[in-house]
């Protein structure tokens, strides 16, 4: 209301209608953009604060990346400051920035607090709680070892997960479809399935020729159980009406399995794949900590053994990014395959 | 309009088949008890005839349709299509169910293409799929998913999915039962026109006496479960028919009497 009355008053003063519109737009434009970029400006201030907190006091320990960290913080602060008022011109990036400005603010404050509480005043006991520059130092100085570990973990996880998912899917479809397969496999599944895959560790490590194959087996096992159960329940719950329709239209049993049962069961299958992913991560880390001499789990163990706590946190962050990335990938695949569903949950 | 003209030329091909139902009885086992649903039912449908099956709810009409479709074998008796015993489902006898039962993961086009695809002849029949979708007036929705369609549109897709197979016997199991009354009236006229143009034999199960007399050449009235034939009434009126036709109104009254509902008249 007040905006429109302001506009009409300015319009009366103006010579022409066009001029009035320009005049009316001007007083509104500035506060609007200021309001929109307000959180971003505070975020920028928080990052400047973080940079200053790195430089104001002397480090209590011997860390070599403090200055670089401060420079990085100032660069980020400047970036936010420059981008914020131009958000509209930056398209999607600008919009994302505006949307995430409160998070950037919170992060800036968090890093400042972290820096002060560890490197500067050691409010948190020091070797156990390293400052941000110590973690940056790991990423710059220990990168090759970290990358080798990441690659080892990804390889192991991908192999085991793919085998487990495929085996679980095929078993699930067979049990769901064929009564005689169900008769034989179902009791085995009930007996073995609920056993945590990690309970197989001792067995796996002396039966399999290498720790790598043993771990692959364990990861596959952890993945296969939820995938099997959910694929099976998905296939079993397909409405008979779909089969009736397809049969009257001339479908053979193979068509019923491939083109009716499996697509109908896919939403369930993806729940199984999601659960399997979670439990296989757990097995991966345990297997790497105990048997495999490579991978992020092993890196964690090694870092802890040497009291290299910064390395441990650095590995944890990488691990979290990888797991989260894997789940994002799975959800993206699902969203693409299941566009026909209404209201799919967003990750 | 051009698309519709092509559809009219291409869709109707095979003429209707005759259907003989000979002394058919059927029953279900429910928790060990035997529930008889059809009791010695016999009737014949001539090629290209439109027969409506009418009866109280749950009397076994839909079961009879499942037997005609070949989805189940009868406990006793035999069903014949053009003299040959019906042993299983075959695309010459296609069912449109009360629910459209479209496969939700397939677009309209791929739902209609289901029959040709299942029979492995989709490559040669792509144009027939297009024609069937045009015929039911949904060409702008060919890429839509079932959850994006209204009830009437979904049922039209189900109709197209049946027609694309060039059925000789079209089996309609209360296909309009769940639609709103306006859509139902429109689709009744569409079904009558389709049937006249294509010449397939049609079996329609319905609860709606007006629908039965408006569409069918013959109305077979069933008793309560187990279903027996109570009456076989010819509806000898030319098409296109009018709902207000006094002869149809009279028949409707007569049939409601047979169903024990004439007190409401």
């Amino acid at each position: 209301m007040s905006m429109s009355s302001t506009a009409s008053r300015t319009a009366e003063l103006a010579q022409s209608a066009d001029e009035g519109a320009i005049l009316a737009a001007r007083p509104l434009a500035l506060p609007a953009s200021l309001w929109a970029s307000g959180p971003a400006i505070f975020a920028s201030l928080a990052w400047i604060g973080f940079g200053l907190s790195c430089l104001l006091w002397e480090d209590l320990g011997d860390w070599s990346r403090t200055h670089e960290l401060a420079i990085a913080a100032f660069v980020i602060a400047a970036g936010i400051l420059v981008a914020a008022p131009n958000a509209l011109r930056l398209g999607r990036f600008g919009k994302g920035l505006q949307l995430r400005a409160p998070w950037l603010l919170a992060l800036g404050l968090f890093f400042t607090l972290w820096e002060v509480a560890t490197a500067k005043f050691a409010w948190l006991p020091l070797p156990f709680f390293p400052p941000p520059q110590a973690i940056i130092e790991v990423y710059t100085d220990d990168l090759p070892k970290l990358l080798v570990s990441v690659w080892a973990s990804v390889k192991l996880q991908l192999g085991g997960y793919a085998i487990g998912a495929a085996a679980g899917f095929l078993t699930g479809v067979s049990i769901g479809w064929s009564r005689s397969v169900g008769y034989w496999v179902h009791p085995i599944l009930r007996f073995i399935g609920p056993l945590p895959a990690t309970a197989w560790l001792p067995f796996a490590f002396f039966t399999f020729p290498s720790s790598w194959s043993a771990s692959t087996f364990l990861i596959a096992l952890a993945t296969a159980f939820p995938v099997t159960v959910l694929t099976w329940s998905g296939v079993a719950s397909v409405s008979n009406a779909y089969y009736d329709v397809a049969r009257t239209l001339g479908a053979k049993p193979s068509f019923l399995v491939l083109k009716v049962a499996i697509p109908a069961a896919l939403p369930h299958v993806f729940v199984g794949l999601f659960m399997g992913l979670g439990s296989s991560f757990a097995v991966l880390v345990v297997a790497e900590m105990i048997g495999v001499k490579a991978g992020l789990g092993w890196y964690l163990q090694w870092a802890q053994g040497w009291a290299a706590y910064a390395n441990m946190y650095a590995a944890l962050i990488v691990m979290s990014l990888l797991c989260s990335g894997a789940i994002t990938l799975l959800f993206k695949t699902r969203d693409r395959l299941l566009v026909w569903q209404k209201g799919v949950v967003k990750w | 309009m051009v698309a519709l003209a092509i559809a009219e030329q291409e869709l109707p091909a095979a003429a209707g088949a005759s259907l003989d139902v000979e002394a058919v009885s059927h029953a279900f086992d429910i928790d060990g008890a035997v529930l008889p649903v059809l009791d010695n039912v016999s009737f014949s449908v001539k090629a290209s005839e439109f027969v409506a099956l009418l009866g109280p709810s749950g009397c076994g009409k839909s079961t009879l349709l499942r037997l005609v479709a070949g989805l189940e074998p009868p406990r006793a008796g035999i069903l014949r299509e053009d003299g040959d015993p019906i042993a299983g489902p075959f695309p010459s006898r296609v069912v449109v169910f009360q629910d459209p039962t479209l496969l939700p993961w397939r677009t309209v086009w791929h739902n209609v293409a289901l029959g040709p695809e299942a029979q492995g002849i989709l490559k040669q029949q792509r144009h027939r799929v297009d024609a069937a979708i045009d015929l039911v007036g949904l060409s702008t929705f060919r890429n839509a998913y079932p959850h994006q369609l209204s009830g009437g549109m979904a049922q039209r897709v189900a109709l197209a999915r049946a027609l694309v197979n060039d059925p000789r016997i079209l089996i309609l199991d209360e296909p309009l039962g769940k639609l709103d009354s306006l859509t139902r009236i429109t689709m009744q006229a569409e079904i009558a026109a389709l049937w006249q143009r294509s010449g397939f034999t049609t079996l329609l199960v319905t609860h709606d006496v007006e629908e039965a007399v408006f569409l069918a050449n013959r109305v077979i009235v069933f008793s309560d479960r187990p279903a027996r034939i109570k009456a076989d009434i010819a509806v000898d009126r030319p098409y296109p028919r009018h709902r207000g036709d006094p002869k149809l109104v009279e028949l409707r009254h007569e049939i409601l009497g047979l169903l024990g509902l004439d007190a409401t008249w």
Side-chain angles (χ1 to χ4, degrees):
Chain A
M1 281 311 285
S2 68
M3 284 201 295
S4 66
S5 65
T6 321
S8 63
R9 233 179 296 130
T10 2
E12 278 167 32
L13 293 171
Q15 294 292 324
S16 68
D18 282 346
E19 223 173 312
I22 293 164
L23 275 173
R26 202 182 293 155
L28 285 172
L30 190 68
S33 76
L34 200 67
W35 170 243
S37 53
I41 288 165
F42 283 112
S44 175
L45 288 177
W47 282 86
I48 290 172
F50 173 43
L52 289 176
S53 75
C54 292
L55 302 175
L56 274 182
W57 299 279
E58 274 299 309
D59 280 349
L60 291 177
D62 179 24
W63 296 294
S64 57
R65 303 288 173 198
T66 311
H67 279 93
E68 284 89 337
L69 187 63
I71 292 167
F74 290 138
V75 168
I76 291 172
I80 298 171
L81 204 58
V82 170
N86 302 312
L88 290 177
R89 261 167 279 164
L90 291 171
R92 265 184 67 186
F93 173 78
K95 212 162 176 199
L97 182 75
Q98 265 184 1
L99 205 66
R100 291 178 182 82
W103 257 109
L104 286 171
L105 169 62
L107 275 178
L109 293 175
F110 170 75
F111 280 127
T112 313
L113 191 68
W114 180 10
E115 176 69 26
V116 172
T118 53
K120 306 305 179 186
F121 298 101
W123 296 329
L124 294 168
L126 243 188
F128 306 109
F129 294 95
Q133 54 264 49
I135 289 170
I136 298 291
E137 200 178 320
V138 174
Y139 290 134
T140 52
D141 297 5
D142 203 22
L143 192 64
K145 199 156 152 199
L146 209 51
L147 282 181
V148 168
S149 299
V150 165
W151 176 235
S153 284
V154 167
K155 250 191 343 194
L156 190 58
Q157 169 70 21
L158 273 184
Y161 186 71
I163 294 170
F169 179 74
L170 292 177
T171 319
V173 171
S174 323
I175 311 175
W177 186 255
S178 153
R179 200 162 287 188
S180 57
V181 174
Y183 175 82
W184 289 106
V185 179
H186 184 210
I188 301 176
L189 193 70
R190 281 185 68 161
F191 183 64
I192 291 175
L195 208 60
T198 40
W200 291 83
L201 262 170
F203 162 81
F205 277 109
F206 71 72
T207 7
F208 280 84
S210 65
S211 61
W212 183 83
S213 56
S215 310
T216 303
F217 164 76
L218 291 176
I219 291 167
L221 201 66
T223 309
F225 178 58
V227 175
T228 306
V229 172
L230 276 138
T231 306
W232 165 34
S233 88
V235 171
S237 67
V238 177
S239 162
N240 273 325
Y242 293 152
Y243 295 131
D244 283 347
V245 165
R247 282 171 62 208
T248 59
L249 295 175
K252 290 168 201 61
S254 61
F255 187 90
L256 294 182
V257 176
L258 295 174
K259 298 294 178 92
V260 180
I262 289 176
L266 266 192
H268 289 252
V269 175
F270 270 100
V271 176
L273 286 172
F274 171 66
M275 289 168 61
L277 199 56
S279 50
S280 69
F281 287 149
V283 176
L284 172 76
V285 174
V286 173
E288 285 178 343
M289 281 181 168
I290 291 181
V292 189
K293 291 280 169 280
L296 283 171
W298 167 83
Y299 189 95
L300 274 179
Q301 187 84 341
W302 167 87
Q304 198 229 350
W306 285 95
Y309 295 105
N311 296 57
M312 211 176 75
Y313 289 109
L316 270 179
I317 291 168
V318 171
M319 200 182 273
S320 146
L321 289 176
L322 283 176
C323 294
S324 176
I327 287 175
T328 304
L329 202 67
L330 183 72
F331 275 55
K332 287 253 187 271
T333 316
R334 180 199 61 172
D335 289 349
R336 177 153 293 195
L337 281 175
L338 303 185
V339 275
W340 52 271
Q341 275 193 315
K342 271 186 283 189
V344 191
V345 184
K346 289 273 174 283
W347 160 246
Chain B
M1 284 326 285
V2 177
L4 202 77
I6 292 168
E8 282 176 31
Q9 283 166 12
E10 291 194 10
L11 266 184
S18 67
L19 173 74
D20 297 295
V21 177
E22 297 169 6
V24 164
S25 297
H26 200 62
F28 290 122
D29 293 318
I30 294 173
D31 296 329
V34 177
L35 181 75
V37 279
L38 295 172
D39 182 18
N40 196 21
V41 173
S42 297
F43 64 92
S44 292
V45 179
K46 290 196 290 270
S48 301
E49 208 175 6
F50 196 132
V51 173
L53 310 179
L54 205 60
S57 189
C59 79
K61 304 164 305 232
S62 294
T63 309
L64 183 60
L65 289 195
R66 289 180 65 82
L67 301 182
V68 175
L71 289 169
E72 283 173 52
R75 292 265 172 119
I78 194 162
L79 297 105
R80 294 175 193 280
E81 177 189 5
D82 264 352
D84 301 321
I86 291 171
F90 195 78
S92 67
R93 284 169 272 117
V94 185
V95 192
V96 178
F97 294 94
Q98 182 176 17
D99 291 309
T101 51
L102 303 178
L103 304 183
W105 56 90
R106 284 175 169 246
T107 59
V108 165
W109 196 91
H110 282 98
N111 264 291
V112 175
L114 194 66
E117 192 183 329
Q119 297 154 42
I121 50 172
L122 182 57
K123 253 189 187 153
Q124 303 90 286
Q125 304 237 315
R126 300 185 73 89
H127 65 284
R128 286 187 57 90
V129 176
D130 294 332
I133 294 171
D134 288 346
L135 190 66
V136 295
L138 287 177
S139 30
T140 47
F141 287 89
R142 67 182 66 221
N143 294 320
Y145 283 97
H147 74 80
Q148 298 166 310
L149 304 177
S150 70
M153 280 151 74
Q155 202 54 279
R156 280 200 174 86
V157 176
L159 199 59
R161 179 175 66 185
L163 295 174
V164 80
N165 300 286
D166 226 342
R168 306 193 62 210
I169 301 179
L170 183 66
I171 302 165
L172 304 171
D173 188 1
E174 284 188 63
L176 312 180
K178 286 193 175 168
L179 302 182
D180 65 275
S181 53
L182 295 178
T183 312
R184 194 181 322 157
I185 289 170
T186 321
M187 284 193 71
Q188 282 169 356
E190 285 173 15
I191 288 173
L194 268 173
W195 165 73
Q196 276 195 287
R197 204 154 63 204
S198 317
F200 42 71
T201 310
T202 306
L203 269 188
L204 167 74
V205 156
T206 179
H207 284 126
D208 184 344
V209 181
E210 191 197 334
E211 183 172 288
V213 296
F214 179 70
L215 288 173
N217 298 130
R218 260 166 77 200
V219 178
I220 298 179
V221 183
F222 285 89
S223 70
D224 231 329
R225 192 183 56 236
R228 287 187 207 97
I229 293 179
K230 230 180 184 179
D232 191 334
I233 298 161
V235 187
D236 195 11
R237 302 299 289 167
Y239 296 86
R241 291 174 174 171
H242 302 281
R243 278 162 220 281
D245 183 340
K247 182 76 176 90
L248 293 186
V249 175
E250 199 179 299
L251 272 173
R252 208 174 133 198
H253 189 194
E254 184 189 336
I255 292 168
L256 282 171
L258 284 166
L259 293 167
L261 294 167
D262 52 338
T264 62
W265 193 249

